[in-house]
Amino acid sequence: MMMNAEIKALLVSIGSADIDEELLKEAVRTTRPSAGPGAGIESFFFKSGGHRVRLAANKNSPLKVIRCCNDVMLIKDGKPIVFGRLEPALSHCPEQAYLTISGRCVYDCKFCPVPKLAGETKEREEILQLVQEAKRTGQLRAISLTSGVESSAEEELKKVVSVVSALRARYDVPIGVSVYPTETSSEDLKQAGATEIKYNVETMDSEIFSRVCPSLSLDHILKSLERAVPIFGRNRVSSNFILGLGESDECVLAGVAKLADMGVIPILRPISPHPLRSGDIDIKRPSADRLLSLSRATKAILKEHDLRPDMAETMCLPCTGCDITPYRDV
């Protein structure tokens, strides 16, 4: 059986699979994100029936990947679920050089392991070299950049603007950027050559936000998103919206409607528990039924506002590996 929306929702709700290390080495280049809730965890991409999913490699997962002729099969409880193939990750995801500039952050969002990882900070020349390596494969369709906040949002923006300017001078492909916004970030990044922008609200439940992102301002992020739309244009501004922090479906859909009314495309992102955050936060990864229901309702809201996630060219929306994406999966 090939993957459809229902099967993908099941896989995303689990979020991991047991896969033999030799199979990974033979068939696919894995990825180890250095930003966001999944930072530091090795993962791989599986593609079937026009759908793509990213799964963390986990020996204790109820899903298992086994070889099946020239492809692979995912099984659960000893029963086959779906057939497909492992897909190479160009640089963090297929067909994109998706790179993290600062793998450390002064903010302490309770779902994110980055503040505890103290990862590396890449210099501009290293970023340029990594993109050039991706270009040599002949598979590069977009460049995407994300970054923590090493010292301050303003200083981080300067670094990102410098990198975007250097990349735009060398490459004629879409460039997407995901950072914590400053008062001038949209104008500065657009002028530097960015194509798309993503500022993450994380959650639209103000009480949950204040608890899990105590150093950030939801109001500032929302104002920055609204200001970004006329600068970048429709279908060019998006925002990660985490599912599994204790928010209600009603809150999610009200938040989706508010973002869509601004011209912003919400990305409903299932929460990924991280061992470095054990005890810091109570989370519940959404079920397959919840993922499908909220994604289909989100599609209806986006349709009302004439927003099309399938027109985005960078970052998460064209990748679709971590989410059930309207107009691509449902």
Side-chain angles (χ1 to χ4, degrees):
M1 178 182 293
M2 303 301 285
M3 185 154 45
N4 56 24
E6 288 73 19
I7 292 174
K8 179 173 176 178
L10 173 63
L11 301 183
V12 171
S13 71
I14 296 171
S16 66
D18 178 13
I19 182 169
D20 185 82
E21 290 184 8
E22 289 303 315
L23 182 57
L24 275 180
K25 290 177 183 178
E26 283 180 26
V28 68
R29 179 180 176 182
T30 60
T31 177
R32 192 180 293 270
S34 52
I41 298 176
E42 186 176 29
S43 60
F44 61 94
F45 286 88
F46 173 79
K47 193 166 187 178
S48 170
H51 299 270
R52 172 188 290 143
V53 65
R54 182 171 73 88
L55 297 169
N58 178 5
K59 293 294 184 184
N60 297 316
S61 174
L63 292 174
K64 184 173 179 61
V65 183
I66 64 172
R67 192 187 305 277
C68 181
C69 300
N70 294 324
D71 294 316
V72 297
M73 177 171 61
L74 267 65
I75 61 174
K76 183 176 183 290
D77 300 326
K79 298 179 181 179
I81 295 177
V82 61
F83 296 88
R85 62 184 176 86
L86 298 177
E87 187 177 22
L90 184 58
S91 182
H92 180 66
C93 72
E95 301 179 331
Q96 295 187 55
Y98 204 148
L99 302 167
T100 300
I101 296 177
S102 292
R104 54 186 66 191
C105 193
V106 296
Y107 300 131
D108 189 30
C109 296
K110 303 305 179 184
F111 53 80
C112 183
V114 172
K116 295 180 178 291
L117 285 171
E120 66 170 343
T121 295
K122 298 182 182 69
E123 299 297 331
R124 185 177 67 177
E125 293 307 312
E126 183 181 357
I127 295 285
L128 294 175
Q129 181 179 347
L130 290 169
V131 174
Q132 184 58 28
E133 290 173 4
K135 176 70 172 177
R136 291 193 192 102
T137 67
Q139 300 173 29
L140 181 68
R141 296 181 61 181
I143 300 168
S144 296
L145 302 170
T146 187
S147 193
V149 178
E150 186 175 19
S151 58
S152 73
E154 289 74 20
E155 288 301 312
E156 204 65 43
L157 177 64
K158 291 178 183 177
K159 288 191 289 187
V160 178
V161 165
S162 174
V163 171
V164 171
S165 296
L167 289 169
R168 178 51 69 213
R170 291 165 173 78
Y171 300 101
D172 184 24
V173 297
I175 299 175
V177 178
S178 176
V179 292
Y180 187 70
T182 71
E183 293 299 325
T184 64
S185 54
S186 292
E187 293 87 348
D188 294 348
L189 287 165
K190 180 65 175 178
Q191 185 174 5
T195 310
E196 297 173 348
I197 194 75
K198 179 152 67 82
Y199 301 139
N200 296 329
V201 295
E202 313 299 7
T203 179
M204 291 288 278
D205 184 309
S206 58
E207 188 279 325
I208 293 176
F209 186 96
S210 65
R211 181 159 37 87
V212 302
C213 299
S215 303
L216 306 184
S217 167
L218 179 57
D219 184 60
H220 170 62
I221 296 168
L222 290 170
K223 288 179 178 177
S224 299
L225 285 165
E226 189 170 27
R227 191 162 59 241
V229 174
I231 295 171
F232 284 90
R234 297 182 68 77
N235 301 313
R236 299 294 186 187
V237 182
S238 62
S239 184
N240 280 7
F241 191 140
I242 295 175
L243 300 178
L245 297 175
E247 70 292 328
S248 68
D249 288 358
E250 292 76 16
C251 178
V252 171
L253 295 180
V256 166
K258 182 171 183 176
L259 291 172
D261 194 51
M262 295 179 184
V264 176
I265 296 174
I267 300 168
L268 302 186
R269 174 61 47 82
I271 186 66
S272 298
H274 198 286
L276 289 178
R277 283 299 188 176
S278 178
D280 287 350
I281 187 172
D282 292 324
I283 62 173
K284 182 179 180 181
R285 194 165 175 91
S287 68
D289 287 343
R290 187 182 188 213
L291 288 171
L292 281 173
S293 174
L294 289 175
S295 295
R296 286 168 173 153
T298 295
K299 179 179 180 179
I301 293 170
L302 294 177
K303 187 174 182 179
E304 290 176 6
H305 290 81
D306 194 28
L307 290 170
R308 292 292 300 260
D310 55 332
M311 294 183 67
E313 298 178 284
T314 70
M315 299 182 285
C316 300
L317 288 171
C319 175
T320 75
C322 300
D323 319 297
I324 306 299
T325 306
Y327 287 98
R328 292 187 184 272
D329 292 314
V330 294

